[in-house]
Amino acid sequence: MIPAPFEYYKANSTDEALKLIRDFGEEAKFLAGGQSLIPMMKVRFARPTKLIDISKVQELRYISLDGDYIKIGGLTTHRELEKSSIIIEKIPVLAHCAHEIADIQIRNVGTIGGSLAHADPSADYPPVVLALNAVIVAKSIAQEREIPINDFFLEAFTAELRPDELLVEIKIPVMKPNEKAAYIKIGHPATGFSVVNCAVKITLDKEKIEKARVAFGGFVTVPYLDEKVGEFLIGKPANIDTITQASELVAEGREVIGDYYADADYRRHLAKSVFVRVMKKALEI
Amino acid sequence: MTAVIGKPIKRFEDDKLIRGLGQYVEDLKLPKMVYAVFVRSQVAHAEIKVNADQARAEEGVVAVITGEDIEGKVGKNFTAWIVPNSNQVGAEISSRPLLACRKVKYVGEPIAMVIAESKERAFDVAELVEVEYKELPAVASIENAIREDAPLVHEQMQSNIALKWQIKNGDVDRIFSESDRVIRQKIYINRAAPVPIEPRACIADYNFSNGKLTLWVTSQNPHIHRFYIANVLGIPEQKVRVIAPDVGGGFGAKIDIYNEELLACYASMILKRPVKWVETRSEHFVASLHGRDFLVDVEFAVMSDGKVRAIRGNSYANMGAYLGTVSPGVASVLHGLILPGPYAIEAFDYTTHAVFTNTMILDADRGAGRPEAIFVLERMMDLIADELGIDPLELRKRNYLPSGENIQTVTGLSYDSLDFSKVLSKFGEVSDYEILREKQKKARQEGRFLGIGVVSSIDICGFAPSPVVGAVGLQAGQWESAAVRFHPTGKITVLTGTHSHGQGGDTTYAQIVSEILGVPLDSIEVLHGDTDMIPMGWGTYGSRGTSTGGSAVYRAAEKVREKGRIIAAHVLNSKPEEIEFENGEYFLKSDPQKKITIQEVALHANVGWNLPEGVEPGLEAQSFFDPPNFTYPFGIHLCVVEVKPDTGEVEIQKYVAVDDAGKIINPMLAEAQIHGGVVHGIGHAMFENIAYTDDGQILTGSFNEYALPKAHFIPRIESYFTETPSPANPIGAKGIGEEGAIAAQIAVANAIIDALKPFGVKHLDGPYTPARIWKAIRGNLAKV
Ligand SMILES: Cc1cc2nc3c(=O)[nH]c(=O)nc-3n(C[C@H](O)[C@H](O)[C@H](O)COP(=O)(O)OP(=O)(O)OC[C@H]3O[C@@H](n4cnc5c(N)ncnc54)[C@H](O)[C@@H]3O)c2cc1C
């Protein structure tokens, strides 16, 4: 299929990209890996009249350790995250998450910034960055700001980013020895996108759970941090009973989406099951 | 003997395809070519008004053709199967108008053809064609379509029934009343799409200097395309040339003659420019035929010892809005006749129905009517086994038809050759069936739910002979042509009327020729897919390529060998009776040192300097082979699954296929066909589903929703063969292309339902998605 006509511009630096978007306004869109935008343009769901290609902006492509944070440039590809020795060592759950995305061809070009900006409720990163309590750094010509991940996902396919802002960095706290994390997705057989996905980060105090961040995607229109489940876990022993009890609270009061393949009833139930699996995986029980 | 037949030769076809050097229709570009895009209906049933004024005025637009523009100027796209004694609806109702005129009857129906100087322009301008819809009540499912008060797809009809065809033999009612039990089940086999890797495409090029029309098209049967173009567009058949170059898979989707292809021809004739159309991936889901979608309600009369004595029931196949090229046969003949499968049944009364709905047209999707029949039969066998407490494999053993040749069935078929004892003994060696049942028992005690599906299947392949094909209503022959031509240098060209689009026909035919003529494989070139080059032939589908097409090649090669013998005798100063032929050499029986190679004979024949009297020059022969019977491959497939009751997820742990397709020419290609078929069947059972809303909106209109099996969903497939030669052709080969798909869909289904037995689940319709399995478990748990 063929996209509607558009003009193509190539930015060689962050500044250049930001200037172009300031000048063009809302009719323009950034083109990163193109793995979400181009498919949408091909079926003409998306019809930007101008594309600003940022895929060659090398300064936004990095993974570095900076004190208590890992900093990831917005243009870092899924494949780079999956293969990065820093990520594998410091936040292995993120490497695993990146590995779960699509196939190697797509992971070679798709970027974490593009995926987060796209805010697909079935994508792999959202629950993981929620559980890991990441911080998003967004930049426009006028300013640079930090957005806590809890405030980032607004609606299906809408993130807390202004049209003239570029997602330049993702900051993720380095995992401590008493912190355990895991991620599992149940993919749709057609696309591999999540029917349900879940990520957890558990802080242990000996046998007890001191803190818990439990996040879900796939079965809701906006990936979210399940605070009810998280709160329930606090102070509880890290065992099967606790997990089973907590699973009853998953998605409580939430509107769940469904389709002909997996309806809402099933997804709600599946979310509980996946939560149990993720917790067992994180706690290695 | 050279013994090339039976060797796992690597396919010649693959090298260029793997290197990306194939020539598909999309790869071709002609000077002055223009591009077509279709505006399609967004709704299932409506009166329409089309306004193309704005689109026509756009720069770069060559033409916009609407239904009203062509009404009366071109024919309609008619079905080629008229089932006798079925009250089949007439062509004036069942034929597809090439473009919808005033009314649309399904989502995706072509409304306007936009032709522009570039592909990009064509897509842009297509958006400017305005279609006003006044919606009418629509019907999408069989159940809704056969209701008394159902909205009519064709208002001229009294109901949505397009045909009704009954098969009856024996005193069914008496046997039912005598039987110990009657087991009844309503079974629905959901709709699927064939989805070949290459979507459909065509380029039509009308040469107005000589009135010749050439169509390059993704076709499984170029000569049938030629016939249709000549008929629908009123062009003399000799003025139509159809070329099917490299074609990336068919699975039935490229049997049908489609409106887009006929319209491309028409447009090229009026525009005097080549017209290209390439289906988009998503368009395939609304523009290319669908398969399956059968609702069957059957009863089996059985004795306590498991003997099945009689079957009666009704089937309903969803035809979509019009009849496809062969869909009436899919709904009736190809389905009903095989329903008793490999079992000895005394009496049978089965009525098949074809039903119109406001959905895309249904036709032959790998198996075409037979997978649905075997699905129903083997589902019923498991229900019976369960009801009577007999092991499912044992139950089947108690019902098999005897081994032998020309075995008569209750539906009047004559199975060419059958030997389940051989298949069973191989299956016994390789399957571990009893051990698996033990494992299953143990697992259940541990709260794990294994399921075992073990099914017998049989397929109708290589439809023949042609008079029988005609008698059951197909407006065509089903013989096949071949030519074997020796060149002066001793190299060979083989022409076949079949069409290879992934099966490996070129390699297979070369093996046959090499075997008979004793020539090296690399001196043989197999050509197909060009109606100006190839004698009349019928294409490839229905697993006929080797048994029918290969047999024509076999016969033609034999004729060449025999003509060569006459020439050899002359050159060797002897008589043909005195000449032996072996390993590519003719020699004197009495003096084997006196010999001549077949290549030397070919040179003699081609120069014609020294030929026996009355023998024409040239060394070439044609064969038009019409087999005396269908071929019936059969087999036993086993599938082992584990179901996670908490989420309904299924893991396939083991898959074993034991098939008998007669003489195997190339075991590697035979295995590949089984592998591909099994993957297809697993896909159909577990993921593939074309879903419509009740009012005819398609829910699975792209790969975002329609799931094909991926490599990581597929277990290791163990494939074995036994060889019971077919008496229906000189090779002894049977069809093999559909067998895997037929057996696998039900093997998987039965395995899953078997796993669900502890939850009280006796039957479940597919697709067997986790959500549906979870619901089935929960539904039944609630009852406990
Ligand atoms: C076949 C297929 C399978 C896939 N499977 C999965 C899967 O299993 N799981 C999964 O999570 N994803 C999957 N994806 C999506 C993939 O991960 C995409 O790469 C990702 O969603 C988008 O990243 P991108 O760099 O390609 O962004 P693009 O497609 O270039 O852009 C996406 C959107 O984000 C905007 N954008 C891009 N970069 C920035 C930035 N730095 N700042 C602000 N806005 C920006 C663009 O303007 C656009 O609106 C799949 C994609 C395909 C094609």
Side-chain angles (χ1 to χ4, degrees), chain A residues 29-37 39 54 78 100-102 106 109-111 113-115 117-118 123-124 161 165-167 185 191-193:
Chain A
K29 276 219 165 267
F30 294 121
L31 175 71
Q35 295 306 299
S36 294
L37 185 55
I54 55 171
H78 310 323
E100 288 285 288
I101 297 170
I106 287 162
V109 279
T111 67
S115 177
H118 189 56
D124 284 291
L161 280 177
E165 273 180 328
L166 195 57
L167 192 166
K185 84 157 154 186
T191 57
F193 275 99

Side-chain angles (χ1 to χ4, degrees), chain B residues 201-413:
Chain B
C202 64
I203 302 173
D205 183 19
Y206 182 67
N207 181 341
F208 56 95
S209 74
N210 61 7
K212 184 124 187 179
L213 178 84
T214 304
L215 179 72
W216 286 264
V217 63
T218 48
S219 173
Q220 296 179 221
N221 29 248
H223 289 90
I224 301 181
H225 266 85
R226 181 178 70 178
F227 173 85
Y228 263 81
I229 293 163
N231 269 279
V232 176
L233 300 177
I235 313 169
E237 203 172 352
Q238 82 278 14
K239 291 290 188 189
V240 182
R241 178 181 186 187
V242 176
I243 300 173
D246 286 332
V247 174
F251 309 112
K254 295 167 184 172
I255 297 173
D256 268 54
I257 315 307
Y258 290 92
N259 294 4
E260 295 88 353
E261 297 153 3
L262 295 162
L263 283 163
C265 295
Y266 172 77
S268 181
M269 290 172 73
I270 58 168
L271 299 173
K272 301 191 166 61
R273 293 180 69 177
V275 177
K276 181 178 200 171
W277 172 73
V278 179
E279 188 180 53
T280 71
R281 202 66 262 186
S282 303
E283 201 175 15
H284 180 78
F285 291 99
V286 293
S288 288
L289 63 87
H290 295 161
R292 312 287 186 264
D293 209 343
F294 272 63
L295 181 67
V296 178
D297 188 354
V298 275
E299 306 179 85
F300 280 44
V302 299
M303 305 310 285
S304 305
D305 63 0
K307 187 80 199 69
V308 180
R309 296 190 58 199
I311 299 173
R312 70 181 168 205
N314 290 282
S315 71
Y316 300 85
N318 190 340
M319 295 283 94
Y322 296 100
L323 296 181
T325 308
V326 295
S327 69
V330 174
S332 57
V333 176
L334 295 177
H335 171 71
L337 290 177
I338 199 75
L339 198 111
Y343 305 124
I345 311 283
E346 289 167 61
F348 189 73
D349 183 2
Y350 192 69
T351 306
T352 62
H353 304 74
V355 182
F356 284 127
T357 63
N358 295 108
T359 62
M360 177 55 198
I361 290 147
L362 182 124
D363 216 325
D365 174 12
R366 202 174 198 162
R370 288 100 77 204
E372 299 86 342
I374 298 300
F375 191 98
V376 167
L377 175 69
E378 291 299 285
R379 196 73 274 292
M380 292 303 291
M381 291 305 272
D382 265 24
L383 283 168
I384 294 164
D386 189 34
E387 183 82 18
L388 300 178
I390 301 174
D391 175 84
L393 182 60
E394 175 58 30
L395 179 82
R396 286 163 172 88
K397 287 183 194 166
R398 291 183 194 174
N399 283 285
Y400 284 135
L401 284 161
S403 299
E405 289 188 355
N406 301 317
I407 305 294
Q408 299 301 309
T409 79
V410 68
T411 58
L413 297 176

Side-chain angles (χ1 to χ4, degrees), chain B residues 71-186:
Chain B
E71 202 182 13
K73 293 189 189 147
V74 296
K76 287 184 177 180
N77 188 1
F78 52 90
T79 182
W81 204 318
I82 302 162
V83 181
N85 308 316
S86 74
N87 280 325
Q88 182 172 329
V89 61
E92 63 296 345
I93 292 175
S94 69
S95 300
R96 294 171 250 187
L98 299 195
L99 289 168
C101 198
R102 289 180 291 278
K103 241 185 201 179
V104 286
K105 301 203 174 186
Y106 62 95
V107 168
E109 183 169 2
I111 292 174
M113 182 185 200
V114 174
I115 302 168
E117 296 287 349
S118 73
K119 194 158 59 173
E120 292 77 9
R121 273 318 274 157
F123 273 102
D124 291 346
V125 173
E127 294 187 323
L128 302 175
V129 175
E130 289 167 27
V131 183
E132 214 179 282
Y133 298 97
K134 200 171 138 216
E135 285 201 52
L136 299 167
V139 64
S141 69
I142 296 167
E143 275 188 316
N144 287 340
I146 57 180
R147 287 216 176 102
E148 284 280 314
D149 58 345
L152 292 176
V153 177
H154 301 285
E155 64 201 356
Q156 313 92 306
M157 293 174 64
Q158 304 302 315
S159 76
N160 288 316
I161 303 288
L163 72 85
K164 189 171 164 183
W165 187 71
Q166 189 181 17
I167 312 166
K168 191 164 190 293
N169 186 13
D171 195 348
V172 177
D173 292 339
R174 180 181 57 80
I175 295 179
F176 262 84
S177 66
E178 286 171 12
S179 70
D180 293 337
R181 304 255 184 124
V182 172
I183 294 172
R184 180 173 181 173
Q185 183 64 48
K186 205 167 172 182

